[in-house]
Amino acid sequence: MLRLLLLCGALGCGAEEAAPLAFTMLQLTRVYKGSSMFRGNASLNGQLSHLLDEQSVTQVLPLEPPDAWARRQDEVNAYLKNFRQLVQLFNMERPTDFTQHLCCHFGCRLFPNGTTQSFYEVTLNRTAFLSFHVPNATWQLRWPGELPVAAFAQAQLMRYPVTTQDLQYFLNTTCVSLLQAQSASTGTLSGRSRAPLVLGLILGSLALLGMALGIFLCTGGTC
């Protein structure tokens, strides 16, 4: 029995696998009668780093100097403003009386053995809608059954490098490099973290995603 216990100790029998490091971001958008409401957050290694609420984004962790963060906030506010204007424009052309809920969930994970996993998932009204296949930088349909709107959104997203090649680079390289740097520093958050840079890059790519999806979010599902 002693030998068995020693062997299990050496092999890690019964030990729980270490949790992967992760950077994830969640954006929720509600569209109703030409108005848009936003909520979201970003977390690094399980710690909340940013909050997106209605009209602005807040830096929860002091990861960026005040002057640099002020510029970042301006970029985010410009994105939110452009999205709202786009939704209002489409609503004037084709008014709708129903609510649409768009959710974007994306990020990357670094496992203890060095392997990585990146993802980008989109749901529409709480139903799987689109996902980004990172290895070959393509958007894939996830809607159950045929839906012209889904095919239209997929085609629109595939047209722009920022939502294909740039997004692939962010998920495979920028995001993973951030976690590797955190892993090298024993997983603790550093004041020099590049998380704000990551936030800016991903929000930039969301601008085109919002444009492509906004085309049909306020058109009653026609394209």
Side-chain angles (χ1 to χ4, degrees):
M1 178 61 72
L2 179 60
R3 290 181 180 179
L4 180 60
L5 291 175
L6 291 175
L7 179 61
C8 280
L11 297 178
C13 297
E16 295 183 358
E17 292 186 5
L21 299 179
F23 175 81
T24 59
M25 189 167 178
L26 181 71
Q27 181 182 358
L28 305 174
T29 304
R30 177 180 178 269
V31 177
Y32 177 66
K33 289 187 176 181
S35 64
S36 307
M37 298 179 63
F38 304 96
R39 288 187 299 117
N41 62 73
S43 62
L44 179 62
N45 300 350
Q47 298 189 47
L48 184 66
S49 58
H50 302 85
L51 276 176
L52 176 64
D53 186 12
E54 293 301 324
Q55 300 185 21
S56 63
V57 62
T58 303
Q59 181 177 229
V60 179
L61 295 175
L63 302 177
E64 196 166 28
D67 56 341
W69 177 244
R71 292 192 298 271
R72 189 78 59 211
Q73 284 182 306
D74 289 341
E75 295 171 1
V76 175
N77 290 337
Y79 158 68
L80 297 178
K81 180 181 178 180
N82 291 337
F83 189 99
R84 283 194 173 93
Q85 291 177 341
L86 184 67
V87 169
Q88 290 172 355
L89 174 63
F90 288 125
N91 187 68
M92 287 189 294
E93 295 180 355
R94 296 186 182 182
T96 56
D97 295 325
F98 53 87
T99 303
Q100 299 277 18
H101 295 274
L102 174 69
C103 175
C104 300
H105 182 225
F106 44 92
C108 64
R109 303 181 183 96
L110 175 64
F111 295 89
N113 62 3
T115 60
T116 62
Q117 179 189 42
S118 301
F119 63 95
Y120 197 123
E121 302 165 347
V122 182
T123 62
L124 180 63
N125 297 331
R126 299 179 178 85
T127 300
F129 186 68
L130 295 169
S131 66
F132 185 68
H133 189 251
V134 180
N136 58 8
T138 58
W139 287 92
Q140 300 180 341
L141 299 178
R142 287 289 179 261
W143 192 268
E146 296 183 2
L147 183 68
V149 165
F152 173 75
Q154 179 194 35
Q156 289 296 309
L157 290 171
M158 288 299 298
R159 292 178 58 186
Y160 303 101
V162 72
T163 52
T164 53
Q165 299 169 14
D166 292 359
L167 184 55
Q168 180 191 49
Y169 183 86
F170 161 73
L171 293 171
N172 268 345
T173 305
T174 308
C175 186
V176 171
S177 296
L178 169 68
L179 296 181
Q180 290 173 337
Q182 294 299 321
S183 178
S185 60
T186 66
T188 58
L189 289 171
S190 168
R192 297 295 182 180
S193 171
R194 289 183 294 158
L197 172 61
V198 173
L199 180 67
L201 289 174
I202 202 65
L203 283 176
S205 69
L206 276 177
L208 273 181
L209 176 62
M211 290 178 64
L213 296 179
I215 290 174
F216 67 85
L217 281 177
C218 293
T219 60
T222 60
C223 54

